[in-house]
Amino acid sequence: MRDDTSKPKDSASLLPTTTLEELVRRGARQLIQRAVEVEVEALLSES
């Protein structure tokens, strides 16, 4: 068996890194999406 030292030995290092900016953007998108959904539901219930 070959010992490949180029592979990380720590499984946590295989996880993708998420920056704070990415987390903020994701949260903002979710809030905006939910706000639009609520507005559409309100408009549809008025008719």
Side-chain angles (χ1 to χ4, degrees):
M1 184 161 88
R2 182 176 84 159
D3 184 19
D4 188 356
T5 58
S6 65
K7 291 183 182 176
K9 297 182 192 281
D10 183 5
S11 63
S13 63
L14 298 175
L15 299 174
T17 57
T18 303
T19 64
L20 181 58
E21 182 179 359
E22 290 169 333
L23 289 173
V24 171
R25 286 180 185 271
R26 187 180 306 159
R29 281 190 199 102
Q30 290 172 345
L31 287 173
I32 292 168
Q33 179 180 350
R34 185 60 188 138
V36 170
E37 290 170 354
V38 168
E39 283 294 316
V40 169
E41 290 172 6
L43 288 171
L44 291 175
S45 69
E46 290 177 5
S47 35

